[in-house]
């Protein structure tokens, strides 16, 4: 038996704060729970504690859209319907069905996966705390916003409101049949709907809807930079942090979507060239049968060229009154100034490519015989065979001295993979965007401590620097790093310093507003950046020699214009 008492504080026009106090005769404990009234109805959360003992309020598994099931599968999401009574926001909603490329496991999840989580230290509407919305990575194939990796405890100590979201992945989120019903980008439209929900409701969680920073890592970073050019995302955010990814990287862009969908249908037992028949068929198969199909629908060239990410955001045609997420190539949008003008903090980890070492070790023999397989897709698509071979040899010469590759060359392989997919695309993106009047802050993340879990997990601890994903363990609290924070004063200080950079930027667009660090905004002339490690040293033109090599490759191919050389 339990007794529930509602304690409400009012102002003259609106509920300002509400708590429910529950008494359980089983435990003989009075438990106070926060209640927030949203546009869809009442939400009950729970009270938790930060690592310094301060209380915060947790609201998990909030539905922001109707379940995208049945005839809604693959389509743009619809706003969540209001509910009656009090909705228990006490645990995460289901994750999208997915294939985890690291563990090689299928996670069944549920198509009914469009939920978000809000963490805040205040539910006073007058608080107006800066809002940080995190979009997870995972190659548009895996991941969620859950606290198994993205716990709020580190960030909330700096008095921000944190929101994490789920969105549809792989086929469920990015099937493109090139028809009005399924033009692609459903997963991106999920993100847009979550941002709209935040605009409508976050003030009731103590947040400020006029001070929203969207940030993401890897595919999440590609996502937040896509929102910078999407007409659907205008006025939904005010600052951007992009960690290890951009929308102009070739791996972030889906191509040949209709034929990929037809190959998927054939793989599942229905050979068709009719997109409407394909839609009916693909809406009928179990969701779990659509998981992990990226790797089984690739072409022979895709097997060896680029990252295995193909169900991704795509340029979208306009059909009737449908909202279009991406009406033009994102590179062209930036060149045409069809992007938002907001403060941007952007960078990459010093050894991103370590994530690909194990994959590359299986391809060494093929790479040695076919160095042209290193040539990026966009160059491959426009040069002849002789030029392709020439560029491949130049890549091999630049990174490996022209010698055959061995596993003794792990760090050189790492540098090449870093440059192909992260460092050069990010440098190019910054040059596209740095024309704007608002500041761009560039960083290179180079911390190398016990918190570099991903690098250490891959057995690459002898290579100095930070691997792809490693910076997340300095920003979010999870089971892996919680003990380090509590027991190691040096690591605790590092985490506090890193999260202060992120949260200072979210507060006012300046990542060093509360510290003495000299982090100057990026200029096209000097290419200023901050080396985020124990030195916190300010520098110019990080990885210059390697970036200049790729600039020359793209220039020779007639690609990658910037406003400075138009």
């Amino acid at each position: 038996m339990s007794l529930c008492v509602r304690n409400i504080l009012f102002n003259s026009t609106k509920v300002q704060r509400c708590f429910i106090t529950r008494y359980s005769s089983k435990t003989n404990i009075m438990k106070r729970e926060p209640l927030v009234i949203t546009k869809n109805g009442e939400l009950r959360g729970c009270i938790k504690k930060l690592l310094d003992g301060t209380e915060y309020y947790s609201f998990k598994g909030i539905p922001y859209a109707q379940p995208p099931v049945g005839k809604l599968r693959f389509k743009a999401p619809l706003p969540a319907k209001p509910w009656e009574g009090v909705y228990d926001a006490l645990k995460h909603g289901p994750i999208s069905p997915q294939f985890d490329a690291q563990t090689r496991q299928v996670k069944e999840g549920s198509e009914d996966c469009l939920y978000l989580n809000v963490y805040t230290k205040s539910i006073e509407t007058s608080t107006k705390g800066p809002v940080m919305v995190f979009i997870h990575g995972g190659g548009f194939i895996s991941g969620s916003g859950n606290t198994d990796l993205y716990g709020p405890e580190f960030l909330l100590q700096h008095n921000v409101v944190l929101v994490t979201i789920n969105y549809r992945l792989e086929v469920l989120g990015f099937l493109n049949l090139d028809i009005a019903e399924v033009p692609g980008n459903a997963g991106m439209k999920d993100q847009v709907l979550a941002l709209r929900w935040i605009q409508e409701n976050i003030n009731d969680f103590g947040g400020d809807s006029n001070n929203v920073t969207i940030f993401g890592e890897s595919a999440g970073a590609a996502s937040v930079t896509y929102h910078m050019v999407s007409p659907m995302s205008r006025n939904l955010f005010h600052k951007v942090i992009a960690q290890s990814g951009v929308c102009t990287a070739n791996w972030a862009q889906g191509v040949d979507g209709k034929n990929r969908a037809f190959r998927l249908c054939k793989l599942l037992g229905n050979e068709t060239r009719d997109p409407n028949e394909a839609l009916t068929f693909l809406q009928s198969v179990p969701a779990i049968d659509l998981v992990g199909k990226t790797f089984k629908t690739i072409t022979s060239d895709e097997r060896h060229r680029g990252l295995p990410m193909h169900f991704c955001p795509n340029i979208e045609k306009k059909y009737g009154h449908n909202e279009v997420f991406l009406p033009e190539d994102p590179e062209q949008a930036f060149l045409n100034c069809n992007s938002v003008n907001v403060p941007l903090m952007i960078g990459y980890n010093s050894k991103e490519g370590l994530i690909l070492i194990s994959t590359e070790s299986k391809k060494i023999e093929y790479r040695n015989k076919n160095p042209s397989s290193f040539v990026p897709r966009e160059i491959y698509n426009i040069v002849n065979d002789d030029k392709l071979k020439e560029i491949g040899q130049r890549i091999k010469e630049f990174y490996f001295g022209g010698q055959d590759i061995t596993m003794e060359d792990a760090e050189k392989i790492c540098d090449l993979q870093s440059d192909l997919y992260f460092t050069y695309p990010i440098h190019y993106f910054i040059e596209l965007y740095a024309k704007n009047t608002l500041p761009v802050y560039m960083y290179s993340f180079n911390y190398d401590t016990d918190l570099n879990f991903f690098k250490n997990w891959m057995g690459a601890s002898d290579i100095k620097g930070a691997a792809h994903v490693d910076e997340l363990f300095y920003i979010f609290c999870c089971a892996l790093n919680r003990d380090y924070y509590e027991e190691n004063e040096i690591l605790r200080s590092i985490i506090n310093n890193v999260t202060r950079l992120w949260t200072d930027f979210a507060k006012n667009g300046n990542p060093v507003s509360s510290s003495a660090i000299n982090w100057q905004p990026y200029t096209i002339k000097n290419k200023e950046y901050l080396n985020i490690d124990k030195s916190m040293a300010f520098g110019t033109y990080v990885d210059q020699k390697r970036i200049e090599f790729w600039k020359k490759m793209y220039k020779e191919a007639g690609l990658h214009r910037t406003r400075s050389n138009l």
Side-chain angles (χ1 to χ4, degrees):
M1 177 180 176
S2 66
L3 176 67
C4 177
V5 180
R6 182 175 297 199
N7 305 315
I8 307 177
L9 299 180
F10 291 93
N11 62 22
S12 59
T13 60
K14 181 179 179 180
V15 171
Q16 192 174 37
R17 182 178 64 184
C18 180
F19 292 94
I20 296 176
T21 303
R22 291 175 170 275
Y23 170 73
S24 172
S25 58
K26 280 187 176 181
T27 61
N28 199 32
I29 292 176
M30 297 290 288
K31 188 175 183 181
R32 190 167 58 105
E33 297 173 326
L35 190 76
V36 166
I37 301 175
T38 70
K39 299 293 189 297
N40 294 95
E42 292 181 302
L43 286 170
R44 176 167 46 237
C46 62
I47 298 175
K48 294 191 173 184
K49 288 190 176 182
L50 300 178
L51 298 170
D52 64 1
T54 306
E55 287 186 346
Y56 75 94
Y57 307 111
S58 168
F59 297 85
K60 294 179 178 178
I62 304 171
Y64 67 85
Q66 296 177 35
V69 299
K71 293 299 181 181
L72 296 181
R73 181 188 280 184
F74 309 127
K75 297 183 180 180
L78 299 175
K81 294 179 178 179
W83 56 79
E84 295 183 0
V86 178
Y87 187 97
D88 281 333
L90 304 176
K91 62 180 182 179
H92 292 301
I95 64 174
S96 178
Q98 59 191 258
F99 177 79
D100 189 321
Q102 298 304 318
T103 64
R104 313 297 295 178
Q105 292 180 338
V106 170
K107 296 181 179 179
E108 185 171 0
S110 171
E111 284 189 85
D112 179 10
C113 64
L114 301 184
Y115 296 87
L116 55 78
N117 315 293
V118 180
Y119 309 102
T120 178
K121 290 175 71 175
S122 172
I123 51 175
E124 297 275 6
T125 58
S126 60
T127 302
K128 298 293 183 183
V131 180
M132 300 185 72
V133 183
F134 183 73
I135 301 177
H136 70 79
F140 301 108
I141 294 173
S142 63
S144 75
N146 292 359
T147 51
D148 54 355
L149 184 56
Y150 305 116
E153 288 83 357
F154 298 161
L155 290 168
L156 257 60
Q157 291 183 127
H158 301 286
N159 299 316
V160 298
V161 177
L162 176 66
V163 183
T164 63
I165 69 172
N166 292 351
Y167 55 96
R168 282 174 285 178
L169 300 169
E170 203 187 7
V171 177
L172 291 169
F174 296 96
L175 181 76
N176 174 17
L177 288 168
D178 216 8
I179 56 177
E181 292 80 5
V182 186
N185 296 325
M188 300 307 298
K189 293 172 184 177
D190 294 343
Q191 296 178 16
V192 170
L193 190 55
L195 292 174
R196 289 175 176 172
W197 185 96
I198 290 163
Q199 282 296 306
E200 293 178 350
N201 296 285
I202 203 64
N203 292 353
D204 295 310
F205 294 85
D208 183 356
S209 60
N210 292 314
N211 189 7
V212 174
T213 298
I214 56 175
F215 70 124
E217 183 269 342
S218 194
S223 294
V224 298
T225 52
Y226 268 122
H227 289 298
M228 295 170 74
V229 296
S230 173
M232 290 181 66
S233 308
R234 299 292 160 90
N235 304 314
L236 297 180
F237 60 92
H238 311 93
K239 305 177 198 72
V240 173
I241 303 173
Q243 304 165 211
S244 305
V246 287
C247 62
T248 49
N250 57 38
W251 55 260
Q253 302 177 18
V255 295
D256 199 25
K258 186 190 293 187
N259 286 324
R260 201 172 301 280
F262 292 153
R263 292 199 295 274
L264 173 65
C265 288
K266 182 178 180 180
L267 180 69
L268 295 173
N270 184 351
E271 190 164 357
T272 179
R273 304 294 297 178
D274 181 338
N276 291 295
E277 180 182 341
L279 172 59
T280 300
F281 171 69
L282 291 173
Q283 285 180 331
S284 72
V285 302
I288 199 69
D289 290 348
L290 301 174
V291 170
K293 295 302 183 285
T294 293
F295 313 100
K296 298 182 179 180
T297 56
I298 58 177
T299 65
S300 57
D301 184 72
E302 289 169 350
R303 194 173 305 279
H304 299 289
R305 189 180 313 281
L307 297 180
M309 297 161 54
H310 300 287
F311 287 100
C312 296
N314 61 270
I315 301 171
E316 187 179 343
K317 293 179 182 177
K318 174 69 174 174
Y319 295 98
H321 298 293
N322 287 1
E323 285 191 285
V324 175
F325 178 79
L326 189 65
E328 64 178 326
D329 179 87
E331 178 181 348
Q332 196 61 49
F334 283 108
L335 287 169
N336 293 341
C337 300
N338 291 335
S339 65
V340 296
N341 186 12
V342 298
L344 171 66
M345 179 173 153
I346 183 170
Y348 54 82
N349 298 350
S350 58
K351 294 296 180 182
E352 296 276 3
L354 284 175
I355 194 175
L356 298 166
I357 289 293
S358 62
T359 301
E360 285 300 304
S361 67
K362 302 170 186 176
K363 297 181 179 181
I364 285 179
E365 184 177 351
Y366 182 87
R367 299 293 196 202
N368 284 329
K369 293 179 180 178
N370 303 277
S372 62
S373 63
F374 284 127
V375 178
R377 294 172 191 159
E378 56 269 45
I379 295 179
Y380 164 79
N381 288 334
I382 62 173
V383 300
N384 61 36
D385 288 344
D386 289 341
K387 187 65 174 177
L388 186 67
K389 291 177 182 177
E390 177 202 326
I391 295 173
Q393 287 298 329
R394 287 165 67 183
I395 293 171
K396 189 174 181 180
E397 179 67 34
F398 182 81
Y399 286 92
F400 306 101
Q403 302 299 310
D404 275 355
I405 306 164
T406 72
M407 278 314 296
E408 298 299 315
D409 298 314
E411 191 159 1
K412 296 176 182 177
I413 295 171
C414 169
D415 286 345
L416 172 55
Q417 299 298 317
S418 297
D419 296 343
L420 282 171
Y421 307 120
F422 303 103
T423 62
Y424 177 72
I426 290 170
H427 274 267
Y428 176 60
F429 178 91
I430 294 172
E431 294 232 343
L432 282 174
Y433 188 69
K435 67 188 185 306
N436 286 274
T437 57
L438 292 175
V440 175
Y441 293 93
M442 184 184 185
Y443 70 82
S444 173
F445 191 95
N446 200 32
Y447 266 117
D448 193 345
T449 75
D450 288 339
L451 297 178
N452 293 51
F453 291 107
F454 205 78
K455 183 181 76 169
N456 295 335
W457 176 69
M458 290 185 294
S461 57
D462 57 320
I463 297 178
K464 297 300 181 184
H468 193 65
V469 178
D470 274 343
E471 91 282 7
L472 292 175
F473 302 105
Y474 297 77
I475 298 170
F476 294 98
C477 184
C478 64
L480 288 172
N481 61 10
R482 179 183 291 267
D483 288 345
Y484 287 91
Y485 184 92
E486 293 179 332
E487 298 170 7
N488 189 311
E489 185 176 350
I490 294 176
L491 294 181
R492 182 163 59 251
S493 177
I494 291 172
I495 289 170
N496 287 338
N497 289 338
V498 171
T499 50
R500 186 179 295 114
L501 295 175
W502 264 244
T503 55
D504 276 2
F505 180 82
K507 290 173 182 178
N508 53 41
N510 182 349
V512 290
S513 58
S514 65
S515 73
I517 295 171
N518 179 31
W519 189 352
Q520 295 297 311
Y522 180 98
T523 62
I524 290 176
K525 179 181 178 181
N526 295 321
K527 300 173 176 38
E528 295 88 343
Y529 77 99
L530 181 70
N531 188 20
I532 300 181
D533 66 3
K534 62 183 179 180
S535 72
M536 287 293 180
F538 178 67
T540 57
Y541 209 163
V542 61
D543 298 319
Q544 178 177 356
K545 183 179 178 181
R546 287 154 46 195
I547 300 306
E548 287 296 325
F549 172 82
W550 284 105
K551 271 190 176 181
K552 186 175 182 180
M553 293 297 103
Y554 278 90
K555 184 178 180 180
E556 288 181 10
L559 295 170
H560 281 192
R561 299 169 296 157
T562 62
R563 305 209 66 76
S564 60
N565 60 26
L566 287 178

